[in-house]
Amino acid sequence: MKSNIVKLSEYIDRLNKEKTPPAAGCAEMERLCAAARRVKSLKPPAMPGADFPDKVIQSLAGDKKRRARRGRRLLGGAAAAAAVLALTFLVYFAALRDINIVSAMEQAYSRINAYHGTLEVVFSNEAGERQVQSVLDVWADKQGRYAIDVLEGAYKGLKTVSDGEKIWQSPVHENGLGVMPVFSETYEFIFELGSEIEALKSAKSAKITGEDTVAGRPAFVLEVTPEGGLPYTLWVDKESKIPLQKEGAMYNAVRYTTRYTEITFADSIPEELLKAALNPDYQEADFGEGESPAPAGEDSGASYEPEVRVEVDLEAEKAQQLAADSGSSPWRLDPVFTAQVFVSLQISPEGITGDYPVDYEDFVIAHSDGRRMKLDVLSDKTDIKAVYLERLIRQNETGIWTVVGYDLSR
Amino acid sequence: MNEEQLRFAAEVCRQTWEPLYRFVYYRVQNREEAEDVTQETFFKALSSPRFHEIGRTEHLAFFKAVAANLIRDRWRRDKARGIKVDIDSLPEGEIFSAGGTDAVDEQLLIREALAQLGEEQRKVVGLRILKGYSVSETARIMGIKAGHVRVLQYRALKNLADILSKEETHDEK
């Protein structure tokens, strides 16, 4: 038989685990257990998950449904009405659940000041092959400040800090732009929790389609159709109601997934992480926003105004950039190869078999400023006499080239 | 309950669940039980004719009273099974006075009582209950054996219960 000393210890263990403790058993033990509860009341309460009111409401609806079923056994005519009512409840609460999950996420996020997590960016192709592109240590807060350290990937060691307005990076990159991409397809902080929840609020639809586990945590799976852009899937932690994983649609045979493998919440970002502005190892990032590239021809006399413009799908180009970052389609990093494929496809739109109809050596650089390039085509196998390319997604050596236009021979 | 009534119940539930949950948690001090009692409170209270007789401003007080009785009922069942509370027969005064505890005074009382414990006992209570460490973690931190931790916390809570009881008796006088 357990002594009261052991029983009291077990009682405290249960309270610490936020589980219902065993019965005290006797008046004296109840007095000691009550004292333990009173001490614990000095701590803030452990609140339930943000879906708790939804669960209560759904169980209330379930209770009404059961009552309706009982009624059916008694009254034939009333049974149909009860069934209709039950169905109404189900439809009503299914819709309510979808609305409520977004509202629950909003409420959950409103209680967070800052968070610290490990963010993984994963690429997958149509064959289902997956590759971790980068792993980031992320600190972020509601004021738009963040501190990101690339732990794994092409930019391992890169630290990016934002005070909500300006961005600093270390080590300083010698690409003339003073900035490197934190994420593969963008300089911006993707999968920032606040932005995700805002996007969800304005989405055309967001429906819970199932349940899954992300990084060992049970999660709701939401199919989201945004107002603009492609649908995506979001995994929302069942307990905290915080999005843990986002997966884009397969686009141009590439899909990317961002996932918090770990996340904890904090009062603020540690001050020392935000002091980048004062640190000489950091440089303020210059995105060159609003700047137009150097006019073509300034250095070569060549004109940069194609006769025929090629319509560009920026979303597709972003996907291509992701593919290039993960090692696929490396030819898109080579402007000459990109131009060669483009011209060859103009000659053989059905596809290229065997050698390219236009040789690599037939392309000569007429102008280049690092962002834009004009290539003269010295081949009589095509009417195209010049190809214009731009680095639309990322303006450094890791950015893919896109054909934006061409000139035809007269 | 028709759809409109159910919508109303859902709205009331959404507006009141948090203060109700806090009220329950304060008494039971664990999430599992607090969730169970809160949910059960809504079941009982929303299906009670009494709920439809009171005004909106009285909903929370009514829920708290129902919750207080459910907790009492649970604790009674620990001693003797089968005691049930008929919430519709509750006296008016009991329903609307529930939850009036002055939490600030209560916290002050507990802190003062803790301050009266010896250093070792105060430390063990702090580590085990306020910090939530296990017995073995507490033993490692304090540099004592696990068995000693259990004995210390037992004595500490016994002393604390005595101090609180004396303080409350003194206050009543």
Side-chain angles (χ1 to χ4, degrees):
Chain A
M1 199 170 155
K2 285 178 187 171
S3 70
N4 282 352
I5 291 173
V6 173
K7 279 185 190 169
L8 183 65
S9 201
E10 286 173 355
Y11 188 94
I12 294 168
D13 287 338
R14 293 290 291 176
L15 288 186
N16 285 343
K17 287 175 185 165
E18 300 297 339
K19 298 283 183 191
T20 308
C26 66
E28 176 59 10
M29 272 300 288
E30 175 46 36
R31 207 170 71 90
L32 304 190
C33 293
R37 287 197 301 272
R38 290 176 79 175
V39 172
K40 192 166 179 280
S41 74
L42 295 175
K43 288 169 72 175
M47 297 301 285
D51 65 333
F52 178 67
D54 300 340
K55 281 182 188 167
V56 174
I57 293 166
Q58 281 166 30
S59 56
L60 281 174
D63 186 54
K64 302 306 160 202
K65 204 171 71 174
R66 279 194 296 278
R67 282 159 195 254
R69 278 205 295 269
R70 278 204 298 272
R72 186 169 55 182
R73 284 198 293 272
L74 298 171
L75 300 163
V84 169
L85 194 61
L87 185 65
T88 309
F89 289 146
L90 284 177
V91 171
Y92 169 61
F93 280 101
L96 199 64
R97 188 177 70 147
D98 296 332
I99 296 164
N100 287 343
I101 184 71
V102 178
S103 132
M105 289 168 74
E106 198 182 355
Q107 281 178 33
Y109 185 68
S110 72
R111 292 198 281 265
I112 295 169
N113 293 322
Y115 54 94
H116 178 213
T118 305
L119 185 62
E120 202 176 70
V121 184
V122 179
F123 290 91
S124 51
N125 59 22
E126 278 181 318
E129 294 164 339
R130 296 169 76 84
Q131 183 187 347
V132 176
Q133 191 259 349
S134 53
V135 180
L136 312 164
D137 182 77
V138 173
W139 274 97
D141 70 10
K142 278 184 166 166
Q143 287 73 51
R145 298 182 297 184
Y146 59 79
I148 295 168
D149 188 354
V150 182
L151 303 175
E152 295 294 337
Y155 295 98
K156 187 174 176 178
L158 176 69
K159 292 177 171 58
T160 305
V161 175
S162 172
D163 65 357
E165 290 178 8
K166 293 177 181 173
I167 293 173
W168 292 268
Q169 286 192 324
S170 173
V172 175
H173 195 247
E174 295 171 358
N175 62 1
L177 297 169
V179 66
M180 285 189 286
V182 177
F183 299 94
S184 50
E185 86 284 25
T186 172
Y187 299 103
E188 292 171 11
F189 176 10
I190 56 168
F191 209 33
E192 191 275 309
L193 298 182
S195 309
E196 289 305 327
I197 291 165
E198 282 304 310
L200 209 53
K201 281 162 62 187
S202 59
K204 207 180 284 177
S205 73
K207 288 186 185 302
I208 297 175
T209 56
E211 295 182 5
D212 197 1
T213 304
V214 178
R217 297 180 69 88
F220 291 117
V221 182
L222 263 77
E223 293 298 331
V224 184
T225 306
E227 271 299 338
L230 298 170
Y232 59 91
T233 311
L234 206 61
W235 281 255
V236 180
D237 185 23
K238 272 186 162 181
E239 190 182 348
S240 68
K241 297 296 170 296
I242 290 301
L244 292 177
Q245 178 172 291
K246 182 181 184 178
E247 188 168 83
M250 183 69 75
Y251 198 88
N252 276 12
V254 175
R255 184 202 304 277
Y256 72 94
T257 307
T258 41
R259 167 197 309 148
Y260 280 102
T261 54
E262 283 176 34
I263 190 159
T264 53
F265 306 110
D267 288 336
S268 60
I269 302 173
E271 274 304 313
E272 62 271 20
L273 292 178
L274 295 172
K275 286 181 180 166
L278 307 170
N279 189 334
D281 294 338
Y282 281 76
Q283 180 179 320
E284 189 179 333
D286 171 16
F287 292 98
E289 282 174 5
E291 291 175 14
S292 53
E298 250 185 17
D299 54 353
S300 64
S303 160
Y304 195 87
E305 192 56 48
E307 289 174 15
V308 181
R309 288 206 166 268
V310 174
E311 198 175 326
V312 176
D313 182 341
L314 268 181
E315 290 302 315
E317 291 308 295
K318 282 181 182 175
Q320 283 296 330
Q321 178 71 65
L322 296 175
D325 287 336
S326 63
S328 303
S329 309
W331 57 273
R332 291 295 305 271
L333 300 170
D334 180 343
V336 177
F337 205 165
T338 305
Q340 185 187 20
V341 172
F342 174 80
V343 172
S344 298
L345 284 172
Q346 300 305 306
I347 298 167
S348 309
E350 71 284 359
I352 304 155
T353 50
D355 292 337
Y356 289 94
V358 183
D359 290 336
Y360 191 87
E361 290 74 23
D362 288 339
F363 295 83
V364 175
I365 297 175
H367 162 75
S368 175
D369 62 9
R371 291 187 183 186
R372 289 180 170 191
M373 187 176 283
K374 179 184 176 186
L375 295 170
D376 287 337
V377 185
L378 312 173
S379 171
D380 55 6
K381 292 176 185 165
T382 173
D383 289 338
I384 296 174
K385 67 169 187 175
V387 179
Y388 296 79
L389 302 107
E390 277 189 47
R391 278 179 162 141
L392 294 171
I393 308 299
R394 190 183 302 150
Q395 290 76 40
N396 64 24
E397 68 274 18
T398 67
I400 59 165
W401 289 95
T402 303
V403 175
V404 295
Y406 54 89
D407 292 345
L408 292 167
S409 53
R410 303 285 176 200
Chain B
M1 200 185 280
N2 58 29
E3 192 183 341
E4 194 183 331
Q5 286 171 326
L6 197 56
R7 273 180 190 270
F8 178 65
E11 187 197 329
V12 171
C13 177
R14 197 163 294 288
Q15 285 169 352
T16 54
W17 78 265
E18 191 167 338
L20 176 65
Y21 175 88
R22 286 178 185 277
F23 172 86
V24 175
Y25 187 94
Y26 191 78
R27 281 147 183 79
V28 299
Q29 287 302 317
N30 71 87
R31 192 170 80 179
E32 186 179 63
E33 206 172 0
E35 286 185 3
D36 285 352
V37 172
T38 305
Q39 185 156 336
E40 203 178 338
T41 300
F42 280 121
F43 273 133
K44 282 194 179 284
L46 291 173
S47 56
S48 158
R50 196 80 169 262
F51 171 68
H52 302 286
E53 291 165 9
I54 58 175
R56 257 175 192 267
T57 54
E58 292 168 329
H59 285 158
L60 182 59
F62 178 59
F63 294 153
K64 283 180 177 178
V66 173
N69 279 288
L70 282 171
I71 296 166
R72 206 178 305 156
D73 186 27
R74 280 179 170 234
W75 290 348
R76 275 182 197 155
R77 273 188 310 212
D78 286 344
K79 294 177 192 169
R81 300 271 165 196
I83 299 171
K84 286 186 181 173
V85 176
D86 178 2
I87 58 167
D88 291 327
S89 66
L90 290 175
E92 195 86 15
E94 187 176 357
I95 288 178
F96 298 107
S97 67
T101 312
D102 189 336
V104 177
D105 284 352
E106 165 76 358
Q107 290 209 352
L108 200 63
L109 187 73
I110 298 163
R111 286 185 195 285
E112 281 171 0
L114 278 171
Q116 291 179 49
L117 294 178
E119 192 183 340
E120 221 177 12
Q121 290 189 0
R122 195 167 56 243
K123 192 169 181 183
V124 83
V125 168
L127 289 170
R128 282 286 282 136
I129 303 177
L130 295 176
K131 299 274 185 193
Y133 286 117
S134 66
V135 169
S136 55
E137 286 167 334
T138 305
R140 189 172 41 79
I141 294 167
M142 293 182 72
I144 56 177
K145 288 184 177 172
H148 192 183
V149 169
R150 290 192 191 94
V151 172
L152 259 182
Q153 75 190 3
Y154 182 84
R155 288 180 185 157
L157 288 170
K158 202 168 186 306
N159 285 339
L160 196 71
D162 291 342
I163 295 165
L164 285 168
S165 176
K166 274 183 204 161
E167 293 283 344
E168 280 157 354
T169 312
H170 182 261
D171 284 353
E172 279 168 20
K173 284 178 186 173

